[in-house]
Amino acid sequence: MKDQNLYNYVLQHADSSLILGQRLAEWCGHGPILEQDIAMSNISLDLIGQCRMWYQYAAEIQDEGKSEDEIVAFRDAWDYRNVQLVEQPNGDFAQTIFRQFLFDTYSVHFYEMLINSKDERLAAIAGKSHKEALYHVKWSGDWVIRLGDGTEESHDRMKAAIDELWSYSGELTKPNETETKAFEEGYGVNLAALKEKRDAKIREILTEATLEVPESTYTHEGGKDGRHTEHLGYILSDLQFLQRAYPGQEW
Amino acid sequence: MSEERTNTNQLINQSTIYQILENVTDPEIPVISVTDLGIVRDVLITDDFVEVIITPTYSGCPAMLEIEKDIHNALKKEGIDHFKITTVLSPAWTTEWMTEEGKQKLKAYGIAPPNPTNPEDIECPQCGSKNTQLLSEFGSTACKSLFKCNDCLEPFDYFKCH
């Protein structure tokens, strides 16, 4: 392995994109209306496309001759490094929207800042992904406003979604050792600066949506170091089945 | 046979490769070629070896794999055996690289071409009216969103600025 920290950093982002992409794909054919079904499938595809760029890089750093597919299919839950937010169930449409919004407000700023990474490959992945993240955050932000400032029922459902997911929001901007080191070495993003931008965006949208920003700063954490909620195992059993039953398949 | 191939290869230059690529079309939008789309970033030739450099449109676009295969087959068909296709991520693809000709072809096909100067001002490809309305940010493929014309009432795809 050329650089263990860089590998972990890359894997963290690959895994979060993959798991959220997989979660969103569960909506395919079940969306509330056709246009939004298509929107979620589109965003899912973007995320899965993005995670492939990350995994391909991870495979090169690892340098053990493993393919991107092997990295995805033959690791168990404790080796996955995605944030806990993305493995949370879809719930109703409001919950899916709010999960997406919490992720998008992070990823749009993350990619925007990662474009300046001294690692050229990370900068290239960021340049490509940032454009897509801009669409995503516009979509999820618009829906937060529409549901929050909508009917009594849609407002209540958004409120319930916030109550359910808020405690998973903070992990995204709370650096673990890998991220601290990545920032110090000049290829990672400064999460303190990112947090400021993201908090401002969340506040702006929730206010417009007539929803309150929760005061609690408590956050679940540990996903980035391999500690997960019970949901991840079920996702992986779906996601990895084909490759484990018939090894050697390609994307 | 191999001598013949060497002879053909000596004639290879950038413009012959570009001519071949002009006939490789997008599998989702078959009227527009990979050169029209601006996916082909460069063609490098050293001796008899050709390198075609392409860039993905959207990172999750399933058409990219097909496009790579189609380029592969088109080159083979023209007797070019020594080549590779390289994908580069940076600089990221933008619809600004689409050719004017490509935009006209899209329009004739019924897809409104990207309008970077005024993204709010989308012209209906059927009747030319600018009285149009966004139905959905996301359309049948990653590169398109869905619009409706308020004059002729037809729905249409708009190729997003990216």
Side-chain angles (χ1 to χ4, degrees):
Chain A
M1 178 98 57
K2 285 181 213 154
D3 184 337
Q4 182 73 46
N5 200 72
L6 178 62
Y7 176 76
N8 289 350
Y9 192 71
V10 168
L11 209 55
Q12 258 177 237
H13 294 94
D15 288 346
S16 283
S17 290
L18 172 74
I19 299 300
L20 188 57
Q22 174 78 7
R23 269 293 189 222
L24 273 183
E26 289 172 17
W27 273 106
C28 188
H30 302 276
I33 50 171
L34 181 62
E35 286 78 5
Q36 300 317 317
D37 195 299
I38 292 171
M40 287 186 280
S41 304
N42 265 257
I43 296 170
S44 168
L45 261 182
D46 283 345
L47 290 168
I48 288 171
Q50 289 167 11
C51 83
R52 290 195 55 195
M53 298 191 276
W54 288 103
Y55 284 123
Q56 283 160 7
Y57 191 29
E60 288 170 34
I61 302 165
Q62 190 186 39
D63 201 20
E64 291 175 9
K66 279 189 194 152
S67 70
E68 50 178 313
D69 300 285
E70 287 170 288
I71 293 180
V72 169
F74 299 108
R75 279 180 305 142
D76 289 314
W78 48 81
D79 290 325
Y80 264 75
R81 294 178 177 273
N82 58 282
V83 290
Q84 292 182 2
L85 173 74
V86 297
E87 67 204 37
Q88 298 312 305
N90 285 341
D92 61 6
F93 186 60
Q95 198 171 318
T96 291
I97 289 294
F98 196 62
R99 185 187 60 201
Q100 193 64 32
F101 177 67
L102 288 176
F103 186 79
D104 292 342
T105 46
Y106 160 81
S107 73
V108 75
H109 294 303
F110 170 72
Y111 285 129
E112 174 191 285
M113 295 167 81
L114 192 68
I115 292 174
N116 300 316
S117 171
K118 75 168 196 190
D119 182 307
E120 279 179 19
R121 185 73 168 269
L122 292 183
I125 294 173
K128 187 87 209 125
S129 307
H130 179 242
K131 290 179 160 211
E132 294 162 2
L134 285 167
Y135 286 126
H136 302 170
V137 76
K138 185 174 186 313
W139 178 81
S140 56
D142 282 354
W143 271 106
V144 168
I145 296 167
R146 195 162 162 185
L147 295 174
D149 191 19
T151 64
E152 200 178 319
E153 182 178 355
S154 70
H155 180 88
D156 288 348
R157 285 192 184 222
M158 269 317 295
K159 229 167 140 257
I162 295 172
D163 288 346
E164 180 71 28
L165 293 170
W166 186 254
S167 58
Y168 293 99
S169 166
E171 187 184 3
L172 283 161
T173 51
K174 193 171 174 183
N176 65 355
E177 263 181 55
T178 303
E179 287 166 312
T180 304
K181 201 167 168 207
F183 174 53
E184 284 166 4
E185 292 187 4
Y187 61 83
V189 158
N190 177 0
L191 286 182
L194 191 157
K195 184 177 186 307
E196 260 179 54
K197 291 186 185 193
R198 176 178 183 244
D199 286 354
K201 180 79 179 171
I202 292 177
R203 187 164 293 279
E204 176 203 320
I205 299 285
L206 287 190
T207 307
E208 200 180 335
T210 72
L211 293 160
E212 277 175 32
V213 182
E215 280 172 16
S216 169
T217 52
Y218 171 78
T219 186
H220 295 289
E221 58 188 305
K224 294 192 281 200
D225 297 309
R227 294 191 301 280
H228 293 284
T229 61
E230 64 181 304
H231 307 293
L232 184 62
Y234 293 96
I235 300 173
L236 292 182
S237 67
D238 251 0
L239 179 68
Q240 296 179 328
F241 167 76
L242 190 83
Q243 195 66 250
R244 291 198 180 208
Y246 308 97
Q249 305 303 307
E250 287 175 19
W251 282 95
Chain B
M1 190 63 192
S2 62
E3 269 173 31
E4 269 177 41
R5 198 162 284 159
T6 316
N7 284 336
T8 350
N9 280 343
Q10 278 170 353
L11 298 172
I12 294 174
N13 55 37
Q14 272 198 327
S15 68
T16 41
I17 301 296
Y18 271 107
Q19 270 170 18
I20 297 170
L21 296 173
E22 273 164 25
N23 291 313
V24 178
T25 55
D26 182 314
E28 298 276 1
I29 312 167
V31 290
I32 189 169
S33 74
V34 290
T35 48
D36 287 331
L37 271 169
I39 292 174
V40 178
R41 298 315 303 151
D42 212 347
V43 173
L44 305 174
I45 298 167
T46 26
D47 301 329
D48 71 337
F49 190 80
V50 178
E51 183 178 10
V52 177
I53 297 171
I54 58 172
T55 190
T57 50
Y58 284 75
S59 45
C61 182
M64 284 310 298
L65 198 66
E66 289 304 314
I67 287 173
E68 207 179 310
K69 273 190 213 156
D70 292 346
I71 292 176
H72 180 98
N73 293 340
L75 292 172
K76 280 264 177 202
K77 204 178 144 201
E78 295 300 322
I80 291 157
D81 287 320
H82 302 113
F83 65 88
K84 71 168 176 180
I85 302 164
T86 310
T87 301
V88 294
L89 295 178
S90 181
W93 178 78
T94 159
T95 37
E96 280 163 35
W97 295 343
M98 192 184 284
T99 61
E100 249 340 284
E101 201 189 334
K103 288 181 184 171
Q104 291 312 315
K105 286 183 193 167
L106 276 183
K107 197 174 162 187
Y109 189 60
I111 298 173
N115 181 1
T117 45
N118 196 352
E120 304 295 312
D121 206 10
I122 309 304
E123 198 179 288
C124 169
Q126 329 280 357
C127 74
S129 164
K130 287 191 175 171
N131 180 16
T132 58
Q133 177 192 344
L134 174 74
L135 290 181
S136 173
E137 289 278 347
F138 295 89
S140 53
T141 61
C143 56
K144 289 177 284 184
S145 55
L146 193 59
F147 272 72
K148 181 180 115 175
C149 175
N150 291 326
D151 282 334
C152 73
L153 302 179
E154 288 289 328
F156 64 89
D157 277 330
Y158 166 57
F159 203 109
K160 293 191 270 206
C161 292
H162 189 70

